[in-house]
């Protein structure tokens, strides 16, 4: 019997373990063969010359926990039950605990397009892990489908490893993919001062100063895209299919007007040997569903999240959530959320409040922001939580 | 020719320890402890599986255990996710292939 079991050895789970282990018997479970979660592939410049090297941070989190916490890797959790205690069923046996933290992170969304099942087509995160963690090239020349903060950051990372990115464009429009040039443009602007978008305020001189989505700015955006910080970004081109027999050989690119409408006859092929599809991230909350938690849909959080309080509590006793399962944000926020959940479990309210203000501070200053309306999404969940608590009290 | 990123501007240099393992009976090398998916790609192998139904090639997709596109047979055990399985010296890895059609018979797809 453990005091606390933590599902997920990412930044949230390991940060929680670091605090709990001083007072409790703790077990961390993860299905990957290396602890660190999605930190392992992360690499970006936070300030000039100051790098966020996720692999190094993951190593530190592991060295801080491996002596006092039991960390079981290559272990998938496939069911959880609650009676007096939590029973966690895994591929390496069943474990029990008094408290449970769900820190399962997020998954990548990717919408299909013709021939997306060819070898060489992968999510942008797959290319990130190959390049920065496995140190194996995803290919020699890639095309990225989808313009969002994650695909931009990872395009930069491919560049640091001297892997050629031929194009970054939009997906074809269909029932699932609705991204339009103006959405992509807004994304680029909202990346603020992070490197890939610097061209918007300086280089191309189109926006940044003015209101972001000025139609004139969109019209002016060059038809063939622009090259900024080494990234060939094109918001008036869509990848409409992938070509190849046994593996990726090229993509077909369709030119569009500034509203995203295809221009007749304007297609061409671009040769490449890998394609990354990227439609953002979504919380991975199957464990919460197994426990029948209420879920709230908030687009700005990435999709359905288990109903929780800002103190990481859930509707069930001794059950906490932390990290991206509560909504898509960067790894620093995940770490503070993990610490917050741990302080709550230990009943240290002062420390919990300090973690909460660290989260608020990081949210304001985050270098990588995944959604512009994040705070609204957080507000929606918190309001719903309070209403339900109020009803319970009555 | 190598497809490994031995030198990286920011992450520095690595010197992976290569060990032999078997892919479809043939001996190839991977870095001990890296994922099978990465090791196979470093050997130029992109097709990890043939689709059960139509035999079409499939490769790495999400690379973090979520999509199960990369499943292979490891030491006789089917459906192991290559992206979650670390390379061990001497392990025996095989590609999974198209399955016979139980109702229409083997020739259904020819
Ligand atoms: C592909 C990808 C790339 C990303 N890149 C960036 C980036 O460059 N910059 C950035 O700021 N953010 C990035 N993120 C966001 C990222 O989610 C956060 O930065 C941070 O890693 C979240 O931490 P976490 O601890 O909540 O989850 P994670 O880091 O995702 O860790 C969760 C862990 O739980 C494990 N797990 C999940 N389900 C189970 C189960 N059923 N059984 C056992 N183990 C399980 C997983 O294997 C994983 O190791 C990325 C996310 C993804 C999915």
């Amino acid at each position: 019997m453990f005091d606390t079991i933590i599902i997920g050895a990412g930044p949230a789970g390991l940060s929680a373990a670091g605090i709990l282990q001083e007072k409790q018997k703790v077990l961390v479970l993860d299905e990957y063969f290396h602890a660190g979660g999605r930190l392992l592939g992360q690499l970006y410049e936070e300030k000039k010359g100051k790098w966020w090297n996720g692999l190094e941070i993951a190593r530190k989190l592991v060295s801080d926990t491996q002596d006092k916490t039991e960390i079981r890797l290559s272990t998938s959790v496939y069911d959880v039950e609650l009676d007096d205690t939590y029973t966690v069923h895994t591929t390496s046996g069943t474990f029990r605990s008094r408290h449970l933290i769900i820190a399962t992170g997020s998954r990548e969304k990717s919408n299909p397009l013709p021939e997306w099942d060819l070898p060489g087509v992968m999510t942008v995160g797959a290319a990130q892990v190959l390049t920065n963690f496995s140190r194996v090239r995803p290919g020699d020349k890639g095309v990225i489908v989808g313009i969002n903060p994650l695909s931009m950051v990872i395009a930069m990372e491919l560049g640091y490893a001297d892997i050629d990115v031929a194009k970054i464009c939009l997906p074809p429009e269909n029932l699932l993919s609705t991204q339009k040039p103006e959405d992509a443009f807004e994304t680029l602007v909202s990346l603020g001062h992070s490197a890939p978008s610097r061209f918007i305020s300086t280089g191309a001189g189109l926006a940044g100063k003015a209101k972001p989505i000025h139609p004139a700015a969109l019209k002016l955006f060059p038809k063939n895209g622009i090259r900024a910080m080494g990234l060939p970004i094109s918001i008036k081109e869509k990848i409409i299919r992938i070509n190849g027999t046994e593996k990726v050989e090229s993509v077909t690119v369709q030119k569009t007007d500034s509203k995203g409408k295809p221009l007749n006859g304007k297609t061409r092929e671009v040769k490449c040997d890998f394609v990354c599809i990227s439609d953002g991230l979504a919380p991975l909350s199957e464990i919460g569903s197994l426990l029948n938690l209420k879920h709230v849909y908030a687009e700005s959080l990435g999709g359905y999240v288990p109903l929780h309080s800002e103190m990481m509590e859930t509707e069930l006793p001794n059950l906490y959530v932390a990290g991206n399962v509560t909504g898509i944000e960067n790894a620093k926020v995940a770490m503070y959320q993990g610490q917050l959940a741990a302080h709550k479990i230990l009943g240290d309210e002062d420390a919990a409040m300090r973690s909460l203000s660290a989260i608020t501070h990081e949210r304001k200053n985050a270098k990588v922001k995944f959604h512009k309306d994040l705070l609204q999404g957080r507000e929606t969940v918190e309001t719903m939580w309070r209403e339900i608590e109020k009803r319970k009290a009555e | 020719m190598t497809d490994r990123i031995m030198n990286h501007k920011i992450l520095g240099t690595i010197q992976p320890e290569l060990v032999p393992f078997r892919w479809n009976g043939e001996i190839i090398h991977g870095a001990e402890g890296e994922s099978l998916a990465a090791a196979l790609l470093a050997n130029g192998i992109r097709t990890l599986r043939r689709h059960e139904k139509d035999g079409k090639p499939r490769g790495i997709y999400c690379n973090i255990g979520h999509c199960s596109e990369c499943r292979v047979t490891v030491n006789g055990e089917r459906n192991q996710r290559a992206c979650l399985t670390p390379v061990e010296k001497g392990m025996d890895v095989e590609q999974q292939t198209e399955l016979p059609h139980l109702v229409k018979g083997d020739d259904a797809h020819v």
Side-chain angles (χ1 to χ4, degrees), chain B residues 58-93:
Chain B
R58 290 290 200 276
I60 293 175
Y61 192 70
C62 82
N63 202 22
I64 50 172
H66 297 164
C67 77
S68 290
E69 277 291 85
C70 64
R71 47 195 200 273
V72 291
T73 299
V74 179
N75 296 330
E77 210 172 319
R78 285 179 61 84
N79 296 330
Q80 303 303 301
R81 289 168 283 182
C83 70
L84 294 187
T85 309
V87 168
E88 282 169 27
K89 191 175 166 180
M91 81 196 318
D92 189 27
V93 189

Side-chain angles (χ1 to χ4, degrees), chain A residues 305-320:
Chain A
V305 299
L307 180 63
H308 63 277
S309 73
E310 61 181 1
M311 305 307 275
M312 303 292 110
E313 305 145 296
T314 68
E315 299 166 278
L316 290 177
N318 304 325
L319 177 70
Y320 293 81

Side-chain angles (χ1 to χ4, degrees), chain A residues 31-33 38 51 53 76 106-107 110 116-117 119 121-123 126 130 135 137-139 162 246 273, chain B residues 3-6 8-12 14 33 38 41 46 50 57-58 60-64 66 81 83-84:
Chain A
E31 66 178 343
Y32 205 58
F33 57 93
R38 305 292 79 88
W51 289 84
N53 178 341
S76 301
S106 56
R107 65 177 174 85
S110 54
W116 72 319
D117 50 10
V121 184
M122 60 189 84
T123 64
L130 281 170
R135 297 284 289 270
R137 296 165 68 85
D162 297 319
E246 281 292 294
D273 65 349
Chain B
D3 280 301
R4 292 185 185 278
I5 304 161
M6 307 295 267
H8 189 290
K9 285 183 198 123
I10 300 136
L11 295 170
I14 49 158
L41 185 56
R46 281 203 190 271
R50 293 269 162 191
R58 290 290 200 276
I60 293 175
Y61 192 70
C62 82
N63 202 22
I64 50 172
H66 297 164
R81 289 168 283 182
C83 70
L84 294 187

Side-chain angles (χ1 to χ4, degrees), chain A residues 81-87 96 291 317:
Chain A
E81 293 171 286
L82 167 65
D83 30 65
D84 296 341
T85 57
Y86 287 93
T87 304
R96 286 192 177 75
L291 287 164

Side-chain angles (χ1 to χ4, degrees), chain A residues 8 10-12 30-31 37-38 42 75 77 105-106 128 150 323-324 330-331:
Chain A
D30 200 297
E31 66 178 343
R38 305 292 79 88
Q42 293 180 15
T75 300
V77 174
S106 56
Q128 178 185 50
L150 186 66
N324 271 205
N330 70 20

Side-chain angles (χ1 to χ4, degrees), chain A residues 282-293:
Chain A
L284 197 63
S285 73
E286 285 100 331
I287 306 282
S289 306
L290 287 168
L291 287 164
N292 269 327
L293 292 182

